[in-house]
Amino acid sequence: MKNYVITGATGNIGKIVVKQLLEAKNNVKAIARNEEKLNELAALGATALPGSITDLDFLTKAFSGADAVFCLLMPDMFAKDVRQEQHSIAENFFNAVKANNVKNVVLLSSIGAHMRNGAGIVDGLGYMEELFLQLHDVNVLNLRPTYFMENTFGLIGTIKQMGIAGTPIQSDLKFPIVATRDIGAVAAKRLLDLNFKGNTIEYVLGSKDYSYSEITGIAGAAIGKPDLQYVQFSYEDAAKGMVAAGFCGEDAARLMTELAKGMNVQQMLDAHKRTPENTTPTTYEEFVHTWAWVYNNMK
């Protein structure tokens, strides 16, 4: 039996990690902002720790006694300076690990983090990776999943309002895309095994590469719109649309469009190689059933 601390515990990824660690009869501290959402995990046996990862004192106390921690850096998407908040949270993780002499850390990073600069919001994760390179006596796994399938929920509002799908990503650009449930499963397995040593990187790439043109075709067929068209928006229009839809603030929208730029010039996509080990099972054809349910139930 080991002692784990999981941040972002009530999200799509964190919840899977917590549940699988509990099923294996471990002690799990679950951290999230919303106390009510933590009740589900507490009922399963987790120790619920409501609080903010922006609070270093809280995080330092929470990491006490941990054999391993899972660090999920999710900034306030409405912050005036999102990058500064990312840096602050990364430093809190780093200092809490160091203060408690935690020996095993899984960082939820991202494809594109290798760039360190030029990948928009992912650059904040690159900063976190760089910071943890200083801990030579800690085993750190930098888990780099690719684009989330759940990101395509962002297409729904545009389809309903404009009758088209669109993002600033090129229509024919093929890129790996992964379901968050598969990321959670990989993270849980690595935490249970704790067989990573030193500072290592692991990609989580989904079942195969898709283009947004292909994704739109699959999604359109699932909602009875087989002729649904995909349009590549300008970066400026995409940013304005994100803000207008209430998805994020202006600074986060800027960083998200920079992320799209990094994908379009393919610098984000040139550091990984697909292997059987980093290929995960869920296809977009399977995920689209969830996507369609959300579409049909969204007003």
Side-chain angles (χ1 to χ4, degrees):
M1 181 180 290
K2 290 185 172 62
N3 299 313
Y4 294 96
V5 181
I6 309 301
T7 63
T10 57
N12 290 337
I13 298 170
K15 188 181 291 187
I16 289 173
V17 175
V18 171
K19 288 181 176 180
Q20 292 195 19
L21 295 177
L22 288 172
E23 286 171 6
K25 309 301 182 185
N26 292 289
N27 297 317
V28 181
K29 295 179 184 176
I31 294 176
R33 288 178 181 270
N34 191 309
E35 186 171 5
E36 186 175 341
K37 288 183 179 180
L38 282 168
N39 288 341
E40 175 190 350
L41 299 177
L44 296 174
T47 300
L49 296 179
S52 174
I53 55 177
T54 62
D55 183 341
L56 177 58
D57 289 341
F58 163 76
L59 211 54
T60 301
K61 292 175 183 174
F63 282 16
S64 175
D67 294 304
V69 299
F70 178 68
C71 296
L72 190 156
L73 197 170
M74 184 61 203
D76 178 0
M77 295 294 280
F78 292 90
K80 289 185 178 180
D81 189 337
V82 174
R83 180 65 50 72
Q84 180 55 48
E85 180 160 300
Q86 287 180 302
H87 287 191
S88 178
I89 293 169
E91 289 161 9
N92 284 352
F93 286 151
F94 174 85
N95 288 318
V97 165
K98 194 173 180 180
N100 287 289
N101 197 28
V102 180
K103 291 301 183 186
N104 302 285
V105 179
V106 174
L107 301 178
L108 187 67
S109 187
S110 171
I111 192 169
H114 70 286
M115 293 174 63
R116 300 297 199 251
N117 185 42
I121 200 159
V122 170
D123 291 340
L125 303 177
Y127 176 82
M128 180 170 65
E129 286 193 15
E130 192 73 27
L131 199 61
F132 273 79
L133 285 170
Q134 299 176 42
L135 298 179
H136 302 294
D137 59 343
V138 180
N139 300 312
V140 178
L141 174 61
N142 301 283
L143 208 58
R144 289 184 181 173
T146 183
Y147 198 82
F148 293 178
M149 290 183 183
E150 283 78 0
N151 290 347
T152 65
F153 288 137
L155 299 173
I156 292 174
T158 307
I159 296 170
K160 285 183 174 286
Q161 294 170 20
M162 301 173 63
I164 57 170
T167 79
I169 297 171
Q170 294 170 7
S171 64
D172 59 350
L173 175 68
K174 282 185 173 283
F175 56 91
I177 183 168
V178 66
T180 53
R181 67 189 182 197
D182 289 352
I183 303 168
V186 172
K189 185 174 187 342
R190 298 297 174 260
L191 286 163
L192 285 168
D193 294 344
L194 291 181
N195 57 1
F196 52 92
K197 302 298 177 186
N199 190 293
T200 55
I201 294 166
E202 179 176 356
Y203 285 92
V204 188
L205 299 181
S207 63
K208 68 174 190 176
D209 293 4
Y210 293 84
S211 69
Y212 249 117
S213 179
E214 291 171 323
I215 289 167
T216 299
I218 295 166
I223 56 173
K225 297 180 182 292
D227 298 323
L228 182 66
Q229 296 297 306
Y230 177 83
V231 176
Q232 182 185 354
F233 296 147
S234 71
Y235 297 122
E236 182 180 357
D237 286 346
K240 288 179 180 177
M242 290 179 213
V243 175
F247 172 71
C248 60
E250 291 183 2
D251 192 53
R254 176 183 62 81
L255 293 172
M256 292 298 289
T257 57
E258 286 182 6
L259 171 65
K261 288 179 188 177
M263 292 178 66
N264 285 339
V265 299
Q266 300 191 42
Q267 286 177 300
M268 282 189 61
L269 306 175
D270 63 5
H272 69 269
K273 181 178 180 181
R274 184 179 290 280
T275 66
E277 289 74 28
N278 60 33
T279 295
T280 49
T282 304
T283 65
Y284 197 80
E285 288 82 353
E286 293 168 324
F287 176 80
V288 79
H289 298 295
T290 300
W291 186 94
W293 184 91
V294 173
Y295 177 92
N296 289 323
N297 287 276
M298 184 179 288
K299 295 181 180 179

